[in-house]
Amino acid sequence: LRFRDTVSKIVDHMSSQWNWVNLPGGHGEQIVADLEALGSEARHDENRPGAGRGMIVIQTNATSSFHVSFSHTDALPTRGTDIPTLRFVVGKRRNSMSSVGLGNPYLKKEPIDFTKQADALLTDSPERARTYWFLYDRDVSVAAMGVQAAPQADLCRLVCRFRDAIGFRAEVCEQVRYISVSAGKRPVSIRVVHIGAPPDISIPRYLFDPISWQEMPWQGSSCIFELDEPHLELIRRIQTTLSSSPIGPLYEMVKPGCVCLNAVRLLDPLRKPELFSRSSSVVTNSEGEDIDWETCHAEVYHRLAALFHSAPWTYFPLRLDRADCTSITLAPSGPGCRQAVSAWVKAVEEATGLRNSATGRDMLTLTFAFEVFPVEGENAAQVRRDVVREIKALLDKEWGV
């Protein structure tokens, strides 16, 4: 009896993995999930679907467009009505794009964003199926579409964060509960692979919490160079340019007081035991990972005390090399400066007994922002190019040496 029960559960599980939906042409719609009902079934899971939070994974070999919609009501059809709907379309406009937008059809008949990446379009052969995923997560106000079966940042093909000046977008999606699918003009068959809670698709996982929008604790020990006030003011202006742009909600700004050249990176949580493995300490007799970070900082500072006396006559003239939406890379102004930087880094390594884990480019890079969610979509990519162009123009004019 136990064996028969086990086999029955396996068969039931396999059957649930092969949920085919045959959609008639003519934009016929069909409800495939009630996120609230799924959430009540998974009430013991920490990450569970519910109103405003859901994901669907679909596999199909369709060569005609299909739609995936998130709505607060199960009333059908949504097409041609005022029902607020978050809608993804794969293979729109004769398979030239896949898109995301609000309404059915879209408001002003234009998507919020679209992608032309080949793997986000329909397959070019009925013999080769493709897998796509679609999600909305009100906890972070993110709507996203991607490829393959496991959602993650590098598999995103469309990302919109409705945490901007256009506030009604987040309000429309706040209570989306039902997921529906529909075909375009022609019939389509799709397989619903999975429906559940949206996973975390942020980039700096374990370093930044996208829900509370706060950095997570991280410890390390470095020798840094701080910016003077004129250059720090330039950084503030650049951050304002980025944060006020349409892609600003996808980024977090580094606090101006923390913007620096992190030139020599000596310790991180994994390298902490190296500090006391080769040299004796005047700060502690302990060894290993049980040493607190305050003790580590004191030890590093003690070993560098003699070198720090040279700070008043340590001068590295650096020029602007390149810039993007998150960082500014500097370069030595000449061969003499390059040799001086190399000699100084070598002296720090010898004094501490620790190697510098920063690459040559990392040493001279100022990070003023970081990407929390991937910038994906043709409109978002164009905005990023415009922002980078504006940042470069400002720096070329005012950075100096």
Side-chain angles (χ1 to χ4, degrees):
L1 288 174
R2 283 197 299 269
F3 172 77
R4 180 177 297 178
D5 183 55
T6 302
V7 171
S8 176
K9 288 181 179 178
I10 293 175
V11 171
D12 290 343
H13 175 72
M14 292 176 63
S15 299
S16 67
Q17 299 299 307
W18 292 88
N19 184 12
W20 285 95
V21 180
N22 297 312
L23 300 167
H27 305 282
E29 303 172 49
Q30 183 174 330
I31 298 288
V32 292
D34 177 350
L35 297 174
E36 281 281 9
L38 290 175
S40 62
E41 293 173 5
R43 59 183 179 276
H44 298 299
D45 294 343
E46 184 175 345
N47 183 33
R48 60 181 180 270
R53 301 191 74 246
M55 176 198 67
I56 182 171
V57 181
I58 288 175
Q59 185 181 65
T60 183
N61 63 348
T63 55
S64 298
S65 65
F66 68 92
H67 306 214
V68 176
S69 300
F70 292 73
S71 175
H72 72 282
T73 177
D74 59 354
L76 295 179
T78 62
R79 183 174 176 81
T81 69
D82 294 330
I83 297 174
T85 304
L86 172 67
R87 188 167 59 95
F88 299 87
V89 183
V90 177
K92 189 177 176 65
R93 294 177 185 171
R94 297 184 179 180
N95 201 29
S96 64
M97 66 167 71
S98 293
S99 61
V100 60
L102 295 177
N104 189 2
Y106 291 144
L107 297 176
K108 299 181 180 179
K109 295 188 177 181
E110 288 296 328
I112 295 172
D113 211 340
F114 64 97
T115 179
K116 294 185 176 182
Q117 295 191 54
D119 60 351
L121 304 178
L122 297 168
T123 180
D124 54 5
S125 171
E127 297 177 355
R128 291 191 295 270
R130 287 186 173 173
T131 304
Y132 315 86
W133 51 263
F134 311 85
L135 66 81
Y136 183 75
D137 188 349
R138 73 177 183 184
D139 290 347
V140 289
S141 301
V142 165
M145 172 257 184
V147 296
Q148 302 184 30
Q152 55 193 53
D154 59 341
L155 297 178
C156 292
R157 297 296 178 264
L158 283 171
V159 177
C160 300
R161 187 163 188 257
F162 301 150
R163 195 69 63 89
D164 51 20
I166 311 176
F168 78 89
R169 293 176 174 178
E171 293 175 6
V172 165
C173 301
E174 180 72 16
Q175 297 297 324
V176 291
R177 171 175 175 176
Y178 298 94
I179 301 178
S180 64
V181 293
S182 63
K185 296 179 180 179
R186 299 179 181 177
V188 167
S189 292
I190 64 172
R191 182 169 75 91
V192 178
V193 179
H194 175 70
I195 299 174
D200 182 5
I201 58 169
S202 62
I203 296 173
R205 297 183 68 180
Y206 312 114
L207 297 176
F208 187 84
D209 183 354
I211 297 178
S212 64
W213 208 254
Q214 292 182 339
E215 295 180 25
M216 299 175 73
W218 189 90
Q219 296 287 351
S221 188
S222 302
C223 284
I224 67 169
F225 289 86
E226 296 179 329
L227 273 67
D228 56 22
E229 187 54 37
H231 287 97
L232 202 55
E233 179 58 29
L234 265 180
I235 295 295
R236 294 191 187 98
R237 290 166 62 186
I238 290 171
Q239 289 179 326
T240 300
T241 298
L242 175 59
S243 62
S244 60
S245 73
I247 60 173
L250 301 174
Y251 291 85
E252 169 65 355
M253 306 301 122
V254 176
K255 295 180 178 63
C258 297
V259 177
C260 63
L261 277 179
N262 191 1
V264 187
R265 305 173 191 183
L266 299 171
L267 292 177
D268 58 41
L270 296 178
R271 296 181 57 201
K272 189 176 175 184
E274 295 179 17
L275 184 60
F276 302 104
S277 62
R278 300 176 185 175
S279 307
S280 59
S281 169
V282 299
V283 178
T284 180
N285 294 322
S286 302
E287 295 183 1
E289 299 179 1
D290 58 335
I291 304 168
D292 63 83
W293 276 103
E294 288 299 325
T295 301
C296 292
H297 298 323
E299 178 65 23
V300 170
Y301 187 85
H302 172 77
R303 296 182 187 181
L304 290 172
L307 192 64
F308 285 158
H309 287 305
S310 66
W313 60 87
T314 300
Y315 174 63
F316 301 144
L318 304 174
R319 60 176 175 81
L320 177 67
D321 182 29
R322 69 191 71 182
D324 55 30
C325 274
T326 60
S327 62
I328 299 169
T329 301
L330 307 177
S333 58
C337 177
R338 186 175 292 106
Q339 293 171 4
V341 171
S342 298
W344 182 81
V345 171
K346 184 178 179 181
V348 171
E349 291 178 327
E350 291 177 348
T352 59
L354 300 168
R355 63 176 176 83
N356 180 17
S357 63
T359 65
R361 180 177 295 182
D362 290 340
M363 285 175 51
L364 300 180
T365 296
L366 295 159
T367 299
F368 59 84
F370 52 91
E371 206 173 323
V372 178
F373 293 103
V375 179
E376 293 290 345
E378 296 293 322
N379 292 339
Q382 182 58 53
V383 171
R384 177 166 56 184
R385 288 191 289 268
D386 294 341
V387 170
V388 170
R389 192 180 301 113
E390 188 174 348
I391 289 173
K392 286 181 176 178
L394 176 62
L395 293 175
D396 287 339
K397 181 180 179 181
E398 301 189 32
W399 185 267
V401 176

